Amino acid sequence: MTDTPDADQPKFPALTDDELRETLDLMATAVASMSNRIDGLTTVAKKQIEVSTEARIAAFAARDQTNPKKYGELVGSTIDEKINDNLVRMGQMCVDLFDASNRAQVALKKAEDDKSDALRSVWEREQNADRLRSRLPWFGLGAVVLALVMTLLLHRFIASFPSGCATLGGVWQTTTTGVNACVSYHP
């Protein structure tokens, strides 16, 4: 190789060892400075990536929250949870009211039947009382006739038995014809 410079390259004087050392030190300092700056930029870049990732996650969350379909499903399921219990309770209440209504109808029907029976019983009693009132004069007449007959015949009937004769104060004796009779002696 020849030490002749090419026509394209400019001529530079050769550096001394001190100059070469100083140039290398300057280059090392420049490389170290650039390395520090690159490290700082890397830290900033990492921070920007983190912020960008968080912003992206927030954007997806915001998109999900503003998605009408997903929001509608969320609202629908929330409403279903809240309303479902009320609907179940209302349904049970309707069943209970229906049962109570049926029991009330049965009770009212029984009360109506009882009322009809009571009215029929009262009507029958009134009919019997009216029949009795219409027959009462005949019963009275019959009682008067019975009292007269008894007044006339009761003594004879009672006196036809030995114990009845003793009750009337008479004596039971056999007559001359052989018939038993009640005899009372009054002075």
Side-chain angles (χ1 to χ4, degrees):
M1 288 213 188
T2 62
D3 281 336
T4 60
D6 288 346
D8 294 341
Q9 291 186 352
K11 281 190 171 183
F12 292 109
L15 298 174
T16 63
D17 285 340
D18 288 333
E19 288 175 337
L20 191 58
R21 225 177 277 127
E22 188 178 326
T23 303
L24 284 175
D25 283 343
L26 283 173
M27 285 176 69
T29 303
V31 168
S33 175
M34 285 176 59
S35 176
N36 286 340
R37 286 183 187 168
I38 289 173
D39 287 343
L41 290 175
T42 302
T43 304
V44 169
K46 283 182 183 177
K47 189 67 173 168
Q48 285 179 343
I49 289 171
E50 287 176 15
V51 169
S52 173
T53 302
E54 289 174 4
R56 195 167 181 205
I57 290 170
F60 284 130
R63 184 188 70 189
D64 288 345
Q65 283 187 341
T66 58
N67 182 351
K69 183 177 180 183
K70 187 170 184 176
Y71 189 71
E73 289 173 0
L74 178 65
V75 168
S77 66
T78 302
I79 289 173
D80 283 347
E81 289 173 10
K82 298 295 181 185
I83 291 178
N84 194 31
D85 293 340
N86 290 334
L87 289 176
V88 168
R89 283 197 309 267
M90 287 173 66
Q92 185 60 43
M93 193 182 314
C94 288
V95 168
D96 293 344
L97 286 173
F98 183 73
D99 290 343
S101 172
N102 285 342
R103 286 192 305 269
Q105 284 180 346
V106 168
L108 287 173
K109 176 79 170 118
K110 180 161 178 17
E112 188 176 313
D113 291 345
D114 291 346
K115 178 183 173 185
S116 295
D117 291 345
L119 289 175
R120 188 176 311 110
S121 174
V122 167
W123 181 79
E124 287 173 358
R125 286 180 187 166
E126 286 177 354
Q127 292 297 319
N128 288 338
D130 287 345
R131 270 186 259 139
L132 183 62
R133 268 189 239 122
S134 67
R135 293 180 186 165
L136 193 58
W138 294 106
F139 286 135
L141 181 62
V144 168
V145 169
L146 180 65
L148 284 174
V149 168
M150 298 261 306
T151 303
L152 297 175
L153 300 178
L154 185 61
H155 287 93
R156 286 185 177 259
F157 178 74
I158 292 174
S160 65
F161 298 106
S163 59
C165 181
T167 304
L168 292 175
V171 178
W172 190 259
Q173 286 189 345
T174 306
T175 61
T176 54
T177 59
V179 178
N180 292 330
C182 181
V183 180
S184 11
Y185 299 101
H186 293 288

